[in-house]
Structure formats: C-alpha cells, structure tokens
Amino acid sequence: MSSSEPLDLRLPTPGCYADPERAGLDGDAVFDGMTEHLFFTLGKLAPSASRHDLYMALSYAVRDRLMTRYLASLEAIRARPQKTVAYLSAEFLIGPQLANNLLNLGIQNEAEEAVKRFGIESLQQIIEVEEEPGLGNGGLGRLAACYMESLASLQIPATGYGIRYEFGIFNQLIRDGWQVEVTDKWLKGGWPWELPQPDQACFVGFGGRTESYLDDKGNYRSRWIPSDHAIGVPHDVPVLGYRVNTCDRLRLWRADATESFDFYAFNIGDYYGAVEEKVGSETLSKVLYPNDGTDEGRRLRLKQQHFFVSCSLQDMLRSLDNRGLSIDDFPEYWTVQLNDTHPAIAVAELMRLLIDDRHMEWDKAWDITRRSVAYTNHTLLPEALEKWDLNLFGSLLPRHLELIYEINRRFLQQVRLRYPGNEAIQRKLSIIDEDGGKSIRMAHLATIGAHHVNGVAALHSDLVREQLMPEFAELWPEKFTNVTNGVTPRRWVALSNPELSTLLDEHVGPDWVTNMEILRKLEDRQNDTGFLTHWEDTKLSVKRKLSTYIHRNTGVLVDPSSLFDVQVKRIHEYKRQHLNALQVITQYLRIKNGQADGMAPRTVIFGGKAAPGYYMAKLIIRFINGIAETINADPDMDGRLRVVFLADYNVKLGEQVYPASDLSEQISTAGKEASGTGNMKFAMNGALTIGTLDGANVEIREHVGADNFFLFGKTVEEIADLKQRGYRPWEVVESVPELAEAIRLVEMGHFSNGDGELFRPLIDNLTGNDPFFVMADFADYLRAQDAVSLAWTDRHHWNRMSVLNSARSGFFSSDRSIRDYCRDIWKVEAMPVEITCDVPDIVR
C-alpha cells in the first residue's frame, strides 16, 4: 500500500493511528525505514553512509515501530485510568537499546536482512557502534533497568523517573596499572531513542527563604520564596515489553536555565555573567554522581536529587489534572517507589506540593503521602545511608526543612507514647541526627513516610529488621518486607547468549524467556552425556569470543578451554577483590614451588570501576594489574594461569563476560552485600558460584542446591562473635603459612617492580585492621578454590552442576521480583494494551 492511499486505521479506545509504512516488521519494511531515515533524517545517501549512519538509521526505523505501542500504551492509561508505578531512581543503567528492542519486537532476522542490503556483513557490526548510555553506574541502576523491562513485559503501566545525565560517571582507562578517569561523552554522536517533551517542562526552586501568612480561610500557612530556579525538560525513552504491545516510559529530566542569556551583562562586557545562570542550572544534569568530597559537590548532589524528584512529582500531579482526576485520589493512581535513599526527599516534596501548592490540610496530605510512597533499602553500609548536613540542607531547601521538622515532631510524639521516658530511642529514631554536627537521616525520612520498606534479599531484609532498623520494625512490623532482586532473562540470556538460547529453545521450548521456571525441565537431562557435551561445546564457543576480545583489548592470550574464573563488579573493599588477588598469588606460588598437582588451568578475570575519590579501591586495581603483569610475563605460568583486568566494565562488556564465565566470584564479607545481581546473571548462564553466605548468595545456594555451590567464609553471626572477642588479623596471617608467604612476596615488591612501599597501605590495612575480614576468610576461601579445581577435572560432573545452576535460576528473574512488588507492595494489576487495525500485519 502506498502512503498516498488513505488508510482507515480504526483502533478502538485505547488506540492511535499508525502509518503502515513505518510499522511493518518484515525485512523490506525495515530496509525501507532505514533508507528513508538515511535520506530525510540524517541527510545521507546509502553509498556514502558510515556504520554510525546506518546504526542511527536502523535505530530510527526501529523507534518508528515502537511508536504505535508507545502511544497506545499512553492512551490506554488515559482512557482507562488505573494505578501506575512511578519508579524513582538516580540511576537507570539501561545499556544499549537497539539489540534489546529488536529482540523484544522479534525482528532480529529482519534487521539482519536489511543491513546486509547495505553491504554490511552482519547486524552485530551495526549493534557494536552504539554507545553505552551513561545513565547509571552499578547494580542499583542495572536493577532499575531490569525492573522497567519486566514491568513492560508483564504489561504493568509504569514510568521510570530519573536524570538525563549529559556525561556518565566516567570511562575507565588503565595506565601503568592505575585507573584513569576520562569523560564519558556518551551523547556525542546523538541518541535516537529519546523523545524530548519541552511542552511538559517543570519549574524547580532552590534556596531563598520562607514566610508565613494567613490564607483566605484564616489558616496559618507558609510559602517558599526560592532565590534560584531551574527548568526540568523531560526526555522520554520508550521501554518495550517482550513480544507484547505494552510500551512503558522512562522519563529523564534535563536541566535548563529559566533565562539562558543576560543581554545586559553581555553588553557591559561581563561575558561569563551573561551565561552564568545557564551554566549553573544546566550543571544539575551534567554528570552522574559528582564528587561529594567537597561542599560544592555535596550541594550539587542534593540539588540533583531534589530536581528530579520535584519534576517527577509535579508530573504525576499534572497527569491527574489532565485526566480530570482528583488529587485526593493520588494513591489510587500512582504508587511511588523510592530506589534507595537518593529520591527520599520525595516524602517532604510531596507534602510541600500538597500543602503549599494544593492547599491541603496536614493530616490529609500526610495520609496521601504515606499511602503513595514505598522505599527500597539497598545497603547496610553506614556511609551509603545518606545524611545531609543541616545547614547545607536548610540553605538549599528551607521549606523542606520546616516540613521535615514537623514530620519529625509528630513522629517522635508517637515514639514517646510507645516508649515513655526513653530519650535514647528518640534520639536514635529521630530524622535529625544530633550526634556531632546536626544532619538529616534520609533513610529515616523514607522509612517514616513510606507504607512499605523492603530489603532486596532474604538475609538483607532480616538484617534491616534486626540490625539496621530494629526499633522501626518493632514500631511498624507490618511495614517491613522482602523482595529479592532479579534480572531480566531477555537481556542477560536471550540477547547476550544466543548460543545458549538456541540450546534452551531446542530442549525446553521458547517460552522460557518469559517463564524461567520452564528451565526446570533441564533437570531431566542432567545425566544425558550427549546433552552435557552439547552444553559444554556451547559454553566453549562463547568463551572463544571473549578470548578474542581479551586479546584484542589487552594483548593477553588466554586459553578458552581453561577455567574462566570471573569477578566483575564495582571495586570496593567489602566486595573483596583483594581476597581474590591474594589467592591468585598463592596459586602462582604453588606453581613456582612445584606444588600445582591437581590445579585447574585458570584464566582469572577482573573488571570494575573504583570511585574517583576512593584511594584504597584504586590501589586494589593497581594491585590486580601488578599481579597480572608479573604472572602473564612468567613462562612457568603458560597453560596454567593467566590474570586479566578488563577496563571500563559496563553493560556491553557484561553481555560478553557473563555467558563465558565458568566460576562466579561472589566473595563479599557476610552481611555487607544487600543482594547482588551479577550473581544471578552468572547462574542463569550456567556459571557455578564460589561465595559467602551474603546477600542473594544464600537464596541462590538454596535454589541451585548446596552441592552445586562452593561455599566458604564466616557467617554474619561468626563475624559478630569475632569482633566481640577482639579480632587480630596479624595472628591469622601467622597461622596460615601460604597467606604469610603471599604477603611477604607483596612486601618485597615482587608485583610492583621492586617497590616494596607501593602496596604498603593495602597490606597494613589487611594485617593491622582488616575491616572486612579478608584474613579471617582466606584459609577457607583457599579450601573452596581447591574444591573448584577438583570439580573442574571431572568435566561430566562440572557440566551437570552448570546445567543445574541454569535450570534452577528461574526464581531470580526480575519478572518474579516485579510480581512480588505488584502483589505485596504496589497493589497494581496488569493492563494489556489491545491494538487492532483493518490492515493486516502492520502490528504483530
């Protein structure tokens, strides 16, 4: 059908109009879409188009095919209002979008056909062009991305709210073994997946003062008169579900100045002053996680948090106004999930909007707030539980400080009634921390203002109730619950591991992609030699791909038939990459000393970024690279041991690493990791775990079976007992000869070109204080690693354990997590989007 012929697309409500030439899903339609966008959008002719041009053209063509679903989903919620999830997160580590959208639309083969008509050998060459969106950093942001994808796949109406960062946290280079941070200019080539909506911008205030007045009913009220403003401009990113019509929305806010250019300042020669407001306002969305080591850095972080939270809540209230719905019914139409404490200011901001802007009485506003907001705690680490200096907070958000004081006053009155005369518990539960300099405890604000507080793994949730917030849990036991994290099998298996996906399709059918419990059928094949050989061959093929990447990017040749022993995650002392590094030294010494009988040939792979201001984490990276340089240059290690640090670890690299891994290192100190999600991605792809009883490791071990998990390390209770008895790590070193030998080698400068002082701070920390019990767990860790080597020698047994890890990983799908949230916290139901039209095959 030509575009000149009229198309009567009678789509029932909810519905939208679709151009059939931009909605077709066959290879010809995709090719035509690419050709059209090359010419009209990019101003290029096909013969002169670069791969980046073809990537942009294909992305625009795919985005066209999302629009029918995207607009129909928006129309559905307008026509049939029901509760929508608002997921507030400072990070959304969504990863590259092209391949994921092709998978969810089901047109990977059609896109392959289309790009080949442009002379491209494979679709992968175009996919590799895409920059990683710099919208997140680690597990928190990746979890948010998985949850948004599962929400859409389960047909739950949802909007993710965050910040459109112009620059990501940083790109990581390794120079002379050290991490070097360079600017992540991820937007430099354009980003075809966003839809700017300047007509829906919001104003946000900062600073200034408050003043009291009497309203027309004689009621005492307070108004905020900000000294500065910024404009939040929304950029919408469609989030398509897997093979469904539902297309949810990620709404990211970009900061603009209220006045971009001061002509007067320019005309009198103050050229910087002419654009000062623009520069200052737009800094809000410049960079993910500005360094909070300075007052200005902390101020910027708080401004960022208030900026995106205020814009998001204003947007929710406006959506009710636009649909003619009462603000009184806000909790019936929006459920606001706080992803950690970064958006916790939402409790005070929603109160401000309801009381000051909508002129509600306190009790009614507080009832709406408490019924709308839920809070996910992601950490037990004190330094990660945000607190803001009272003076800083008051200078930036004076009205919010007044509201927090009142929230706290009313809350503490409840505490006094429950615990009369107990001032100690009042001080402990107060939102205002008065120990040292006064500060605002954001986790307390979120907990008081939320109807539910959840941890992210069974152990973590227990520790939140019993150790982090026991008094809150005693006050409101019904508030506290658990939702164990999950990851989407679409990106982390179907997309990143097509070889395994094909094998799974053959043996359990294709429905496992949306129902991971189907993988349980693999248990019937656990003793099938032919199937296990096929399984091993599939793993070997993806290991060869990663081996090629490693050689191309590091120059290190690795043996794909060796055991790929992998630890990829943010570099932090509690995650204990240095524990892994020390056991690598021990393996190295065993080989050098002729004691390597039974040792499995290994390629030990590290990856992850350290926060720019975190010296010890950066020293750990240098330590790993020093070890790698020494081992990889030693001929005695050939065929036995290799060590690799993969720079700039991100989602794109993770898509290559997880499928190729044999052993997953989940070795954090018990009680420190809230959940972890990398452990789940590894298990889904058939890697075995060596780990402590920490975070979701506990549940992974329960599900895959203790015989298919290499457990080591002290438990939470044992660590607490060790602390109480007085932990002396230097005594542990003296009692473990292999550990003492490894440390002596480090102190001699063996891994630092003879510089015995380079790693002195690291060794002194481990032997003198050891806050994360590396020394205490070393001997048991080494025992578990020996068990790994022994298991690797029996390939039939190893492959069987690998199959069972995949087969029993269904619980860790983010689809299960979202169902738990919908049932237990949000009380939200699916809303399938129906799209019908008179022209067949336009929308599948």
Side-chain angles (χ1 to χ4, degrees), residues 390-409:
L390 202 66
N391 292 328
L392 168 65
F393 193 97
S395 67
L396 195 62
L397 301 171
R399 178 58 178 144
H400 298 75
L401 183 57
E402 290 181 350
L403 291 165
I404 288 171
Y405 277 144
E406 181 61 15
I407 292 169
N408 198 46
R409 184 189 69 78

Side-chain angles (χ1 to χ4, degrees), residues 30 164 349 366 370 385 402 498 548 704 735-736:
V30 176
R164 181 188 180 271
E349 174 64 1
W366 184 242
R370 282 282 302 271
L385 290 171
E402 290 181 350
T548 300
V704 306
S735 67
V736 183

Side-chain angles (χ1 to χ4, degrees), residues 452-504:
H452 278 87
V453 177
N454 73 279
V456 290
L459 174 63
H460 171 243
S461 295
D462 288 344
L463 293 175
V464 168
R465 281 189 292 260
E466 296 165 8
Q467 294 185 10
L468 185 66
M469 297 179 172
E471 295 83 6
F472 281 113
E474 185 178 330
L475 197 61
W476 296 309
E478 72 285 354
K479 265 196 187 191
F480 288 80
T481 188
N482 173 64
V483 179
T484 298
N485 284 347
V487 300
T488 170
R490 268 76 64 180
R491 180 177 289 275
W492 295 114
V493 183
L495 182 62
S496 63
N497 199 345
E499 292 88 351
L500 178 59
S501 298
T502 300
L503 179 63
L504 297 177

Side-chain angles (χ1 to χ4, degrees), residues 587-635:
Q587 305 291 358
Y588 166 75
L589 283 168
R590 286 177 175 180
I591 296 171
K592 297 297 287 184
N593 295 333
Q595 300 170 345
D597 291 345
M599 183 186 298
R602 292 197 192 214
T603 298
V604 184
I605 300 170
F606 294 88
K609 296 178 181 179
Y614 190 176
Y615 172 74
M616 193 62 75
K618 296 175 85 167
L619 188 61
I620 289 172
I621 292 176
R622 178 64 183 86
F623 186 47
I624 293 166
N625 282 303
I627 294 168
E629 182 182 351
T630 301
I631 288 176
N632 297 340
D634 190 333

Side-chain angles (χ1 to χ4, degrees), residues 565 663-667 688-692 697 709-712 781 784-785 788:
D565 178 352
L663 185 67
S664 162
E665 297 271 356
Q666 307 299 328
I667 60 176
L688 277 62
T689 302
I690 182 169
T692 53
N697 289 355
F709 186 107
F710 298 100
L711 178 67
F712 79 95
Y781 180 48
Q785 289 287 7
V788 169

